[in-house]
Amino acid sequence: MANFFKRKPAAPAADKAPTPAEAPKPRRRDFSELKPDPDKIGISGSVPFVRLPDPTTLFSDRATRLAEAAPGHPLEAYLRFVAEVARAQSAIQAQDPAPTLPEAADLALRSEHGMPPLSRHSLEADTGFDGTLLALLDALDLNTAPEASAAARESLRAASREDRLDLALQVFEGALPVDRIAECVFVSAALQVRLAEQAARLDTKALKPVADGVCPCCGGAPVASVVVAWTPADKARYLSCSLCGTYWNHVRIRCTACGDGENVSYYGLGEVSKDIQVETCTTCHSYIKHLHQHRAPTLDPVADDIASYGLDLKIAEEGFRRAGLNLLFVI
């Protein structure tokens, strides 16, 4: 039987006897609870707001993590497929012409109005994106991949440049067309390469918070929440962007979707990993994966989100919907 456990923030001090309505309800026998005190895990003001991606290692490290997680996993075939996508991303990134950033005046204007510097307009102006996508398609080895993947690759190759850009814009804005999901995986992979290269060149001092669950570099949704072990951000919480790979600081024990901090709980499955949980919010009924990278440094948001799919299945039974987005694993 799965050992599904729940962890909740600390309850108020019991300085008076609870009323019948306040009395705790019987707990399910297969649950155990931990109650961390939010006041004891506050984050120092010296913690950097963002950590920009390093495209030279991002995709190669992810490919390695996916390959390590695959053997014997129920999703082994898909993990190996995404590992091949990450390997191709790493290969083309090493040869990809550096994309240009938006004009300084445009960056300043967007910053002044609280908007991320990278937008659909910068994608439309990026003349190198289509070349990156085609290079990715050529670099992929799909000999052992499902036929649908090979068909999606040929469909993209046969499409016009304008159609490929239109699909990329839809992916960028999170409006993935259901009938082209297989193609979206490859388009997303090319976008990740291009946007990571652009984000890596931004000025961290000019980046500002946009909104809960919104990347300050490109406006993308987070793929997961990560407790890191970097100096000076040890045990600080960051969100990892599903598009450009940027990490940005987020308050511990606060919903990434609606910002509520009163109705947040954490669930885990010991059979999946003691270092991966889901953070749930009963205010908006959403959840996001929560990775303890400070305990397991090789955890990767994209790779381990896929490898911990058992948590998605279990938490869906509890009535929660996914708040994060993994563009290489649309569920």
Side-chain angles (χ1 to χ4, degrees):
M1 179 180 292
N3 177 27
F4 193 52
F5 62 87
K6 177 181 180 182
R7 188 185 76 186
K8 297 180 66 177
D15 55 357
K16 62 183 180 68
T19 66
E22 296 170 334
K25 298 179 180 179
R27 295 189 235 177
R28 291 166 56 179
R29 294 184 62 185
D30 59 340
F31 280 75
S32 60
E33 285 187 65
L34 299 174
K35 297 182 178 181
D37 182 353
D39 293 334
K40 294 183 179 179
I41 54 174
I43 304 305
S44 165
S46 63
V47 170
F49 169 50
V50 297
R51 178 164 175 166
L52 299 178
D54 180 357
T56 63
T57 60
L58 176 62
F59 305 110
S60 58
D61 288 350
R62 180 166 296 159
T64 299
R65 181 62 180 168
L66 285 158
E68 290 173 347
H73 195 283
L75 294 177
E76 179 174 352
Y78 194 77
L79 287 166
R80 292 193 184 281
F81 165 69
V82 182
E84 171 57 21
V85 172
R87 184 206 61 77
Q89 287 177 298
S90 178
I92 66 167
Q93 188 282 321
Q95 305 171 9
D96 204 36
T100 59
L101 290 176
E103 296 291 335
D106 183 49
L107 291 174
L109 182 64
R110 296 185 67 82
S111 176
E112 180 183 350
H113 291 279
M115 303 167 67
L118 304 179
S119 66
R120 64 167 287 148
H121 302 296
S122 54
L123 174 58
E124 289 173 319
D126 183 7
T127 57
F129 169 75
D130 197 61
T132 298
L133 174 55
L134 293 176
L136 176 78
L137 298 177
D138 290 340
L140 286 165
D141 180 358
L142 300 180
N143 288 330
T144 60
E147 291 184 7
S149 299
R153 176 169 64 179
E154 293 313 308
S155 178
L156 282 171
R157 281 174 169 166
S160 67
R161 181 188 184 99
E162 292 73 20
D163 181 64
R164 288 192 293 264
L165 176 59
D166 180 66
L167 184 56
L169 290 170
Q170 292 180 68
V171 171
F172 187 93
E173 296 181 337
L176 285 67
V178 176
D179 60 335
R180 302 185 71 178
I181 287 297
E183 295 172 63
C184 287
V185 170
F186 299 137
V187 171
S188 298
L191 274 175
Q192 287 174 343
V193 171
R194 209 68 182 160
L195 289 169
E197 292 172 340
Q198 288 183 307
R201 299 168 56 205
L202 293 172
D203 179 5
T204 57
K205 297 183 179 63
L207 295 173
K208 300 177 181 179
V210 178
D212 282 321
V214 178
C215 174
C217 287
C218 71
V223 63
S225 165
V226 184
V227 180
V228 305
W230 315 317
T231 301
D234 187 32
K235 295 185 179 61
R237 179 199 190 176
Y238 284 77
L239 300 182
S240 173
C241 181
S242 57
L243 275 170
C244 70
T246 293
Y247 280 58
W248 72 98
N249 188 229
H250 188 82
V251 175
R252 292 283 291 268
I253 310 185
R254 192 178 84 186
C255 178
T256 63
C258 71
D260 181 80
E262 299 297 324
N263 298 294
V264 173
S265 299
Y266 298 84
Y267 292 80
L269 272 171
E271 289 79 358
V272 173
S273 171
K274 63 181 177 60
D275 299 316
I276 303 175
Q277 299 170 326
V278 288
E279 178 185 271
T280 66
C281 174
T282 53
T283 298
C284 65
H285 299 285
S286 69
Y287 77 90
I288 191 170
K289 295 287 180 62
H290 193 62
L291 280 57
H292 291 272
Q293 201 179 67
H294 64 296
R295 297 199 301 244
T298 60
L299 288 177
D300 175 84
V302 170
D304 286 280
D305 174 58
I306 301 173
S308 61
Y309 182 50
L311 276 170
D312 295 275
L313 295 175
K314 186 65 179 178
I315 207 66
E317 295 176 0
E318 304 292 321
F320 294 97
R321 60 176 176 78
R322 187 179 175 95
L325 175 64
N326 190 334
L327 290 168
L328 302 186
F329 189 56
V330 180
I331 57 175

